[in-house]
């Protein structure tokens, strides 16, 4: 037994060899390249690198190895043998090194420390990958387009984009992915699963990378600085996105309509306009949404939460964006302006719909009467003419309406609310159309 780490050995020779780890003594030197090693058999194996000799051959698949231990580990792939068992959770492994790495999950041990930023890792391989953040090293190159990556896994994912084949498909919505890990993360959109939990504040996340970035909020450490405005960021990826606000760069293009975006996530969200994909499902009413934020706002409607009140009329809203849009009724502000005719709007969605009047584009058509519409929401409202459906009901008098906007206007009969005010005589109205009619008196 060594008196430094307490590890035990069956022979004095093995103990003596092991002590070289602590003393860092490497007495065996290769006479060709000068490489020094702590073990004699390590020198023998090293020599095979120069001769390219692999004397140990698998008699099942024919693969060759430098060392007998490598062959023995390989044979377990064929036999399925996993002789190394964790004493805590009983998970089994084919190699002792894998068991040692696994054990650190239970112990929390992270013996591999970055000498630049001090971050620690349970495995040396993770430390080597991490160091490339500081050095900028990207040793894995795509042989098709030349793009470089810091990790081989990212290169493999990238290569599949050239082939265009998406082998992994979601059995809920049918969306395809290049790698299984991306599919696993995507499925959490449907299930709502967030398995990664912050041990400081309890917030949960769908991906471990999101948790890692979130934890930096607690430390306050923002090591990445913009060289233009000196703003600081938690990670390099966010910094790169921020720089595009200065340069105006929009490298992500929609291959359907050509619209460009500064971030890939914005492009993916935009693409759903063309595909009609709505992967976010409300588990209460089954309504679907193209963006997760819209689902979150919608869920608050079920809970009856309206946390954002208007300080002018007292009307409350479930999201701050809805409140901001509403306040423009009082202020008359219309910040979204059409660059073709100059017409202004209170909401960007209204401007987007207006622009279709210039292009004449009406991509959504009713399969009953053939009428075309510029937006899918207008088509859905139109279909109710045919079906007679009136899903929006007043909770006071039970009167039903085909559109939510009509219900909101109707409710003002009960509340007496008149949010539209004439800026000349201060008279108020429950509907904007009545205000517009009234203003003609003053002209």
């Amino acid at each position: 037994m060594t008196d430094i780490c307490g590890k035990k050995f069956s022979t004095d020779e093995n103990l003596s060899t092991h002590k070289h780890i602590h003393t860092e003594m490497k007495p065996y030197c290769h006479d060709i390249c000068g490489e020094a090693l702590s073990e004699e058999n390590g020198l023998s194996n090293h020599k095979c690198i120069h001769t390219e000799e692999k004397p140990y051959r698998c008699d099942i698949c024919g693969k060759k190895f430098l060392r007998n231990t490598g062959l023995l580990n390989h044979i377990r792939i064929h036999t399925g043998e996993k002789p190394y068992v964790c004493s805590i959770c009983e998970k089994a492994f084919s190699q002792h090194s894998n068991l040692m790495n696994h054990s650190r999950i239970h112990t929390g041990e992270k013996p591999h420390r970055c000498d630049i930023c001090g971050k620690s890792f349970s495995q040396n391989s993770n430390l080597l990958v991490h160091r490339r953040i500081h050095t900028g090293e990207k040793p894995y190159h795509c042989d098709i387009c030349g793009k470089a990556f810091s990790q081989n896994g990212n290169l493999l994912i990238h290569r599949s984009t050239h082939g265009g084949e998406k082998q992994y498909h979601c059995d809920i919505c049918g969306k395809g992915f290049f790698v299984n890990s991306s599919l696993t993360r995507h499925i959490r959109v449907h299930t709502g699963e967030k398995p990664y939990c912050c041990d400081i504040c309890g917030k949960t996340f769908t991906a471990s990378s999101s948790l890692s970035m979130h934890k930096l909020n607690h430390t306050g450490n923002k090591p990445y600085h913009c060289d233009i405005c000196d703003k600081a960021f938690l990670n390099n990826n966010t910094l790169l996105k921020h720089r595009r606000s200065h340069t105006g760069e929009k490298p992500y293009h929609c291959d359907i309509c050509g619209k460009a975006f500064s971030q890939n996530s914005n492009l993916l969200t935009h693409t759903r306009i063309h595909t009609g994909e709505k992967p976010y499902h409300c588990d209460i009413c089954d309504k679907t949404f193209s963006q997760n934020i819209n689902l979150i706002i919608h869920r608050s409607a079920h809970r009856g939460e309206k946390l954002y009140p208007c300080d002018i009329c007292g009307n409350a809203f479930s999201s701050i964006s809805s409140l901001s849009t509403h306040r423009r009724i009082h202020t008359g502000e219309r910040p979204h302006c059409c660059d073709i005719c100059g017409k202004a709007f209170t909401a960007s969605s209204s401007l987007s719909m207006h622009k279709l009047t210039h292009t004449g584009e009406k991509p959504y058509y009713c399969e009953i009467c053939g009428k075309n519409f510029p937006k899918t929401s207008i088509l859905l409202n139109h279909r109710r003419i045919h079906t007679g459906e009136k899903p929006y009901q007043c909770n006071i008098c039970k009167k039903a309406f085909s559109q939510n906007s009509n219900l909101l206007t109707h409710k003002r009969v009960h509340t007496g609310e008149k949010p539209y005010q004439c800026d000349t005589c201060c008279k108020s109205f429950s509907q904007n159309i009545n205000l517009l009619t009234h203003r003609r008196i003053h002209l």
Side-chain angles (χ1 to χ4, degrees), residues 132-144:
R132 292 174 189 145
I133 295 171
H134 302 296
T135 63
E137 182 191 7
K138 293 182 177 181
Y140 302 98
H141 291 81
C142 175
D143 51 8
I144 299 171

Side-chain angles (χ1 to χ4, degrees), residues 203-329:
K203 192 172 182 180
T204 55
F205 301 87
T206 56
S208 60
S209 57
S210 301
L211 172 59
S212 298
M213 190 166 69
H214 163 78
K215 281 187 172 179
L216 294 174
N217 290 320
H218 296 296
T219 64
N221 184 26
K222 293 183 178 181
Y224 301 94
H225 292 264
C226 175
D227 51 9
I228 299 171
C229 68
D230 207 35
K231 192 173 181 181
F233 298 89
L234 297 173
N235 58 65
N236 189 48
N237 190 40
T238 309
L239 170 60
L240 293 174
K241 290 175 182 177
H242 163 78
R243 277 183 180 151
R244 292 178 191 138
S245 66
H246 298 297
T247 63
E249 182 191 6
K250 293 183 177 181
Y252 304 100
H253 291 82
C254 175
D255 53 10
I256 299 172
C257 69
K259 192 172 182 179
F261 299 87
S262 60
Q263 296 185 40
N264 188 46
S265 58
N266 293 341
L267 171 60
L268 293 175
T269 300
H270 164 80
T271 302
R272 292 174 188 145
I273 294 171
H274 301 295
T275 62
E277 182 194 6
K278 294 183 176 181
Y280 301 97
H281 292 255
C282 175
D283 50 8
I284 300 171
C285 68
D286 264 352
K287 192 171 182 180
T288 57
F289 300 87
S290 59
Q291 297 183 53
N292 188 44
I293 185 63
N294 292 339
L295 172 59
I296 291 169
I297 293 169
H298 167 78
R299 278 179 176 157
S300 65
H302 287 298
R303 294 192 295 267
E305 293 177 5
K306 291 187 176 181
L307 305 175
Y308 305 97
C310 174
D311 54 4
I312 299 171
C313 68
N315 204 358
F317 299 87
S318 57
S319 70
I320 197 164
S321 59
S322 299
L323 171 60
S324 298
T325 302
H326 162 80
R327 289 189 71 177
R328 293 173 188 145
I329 295 171

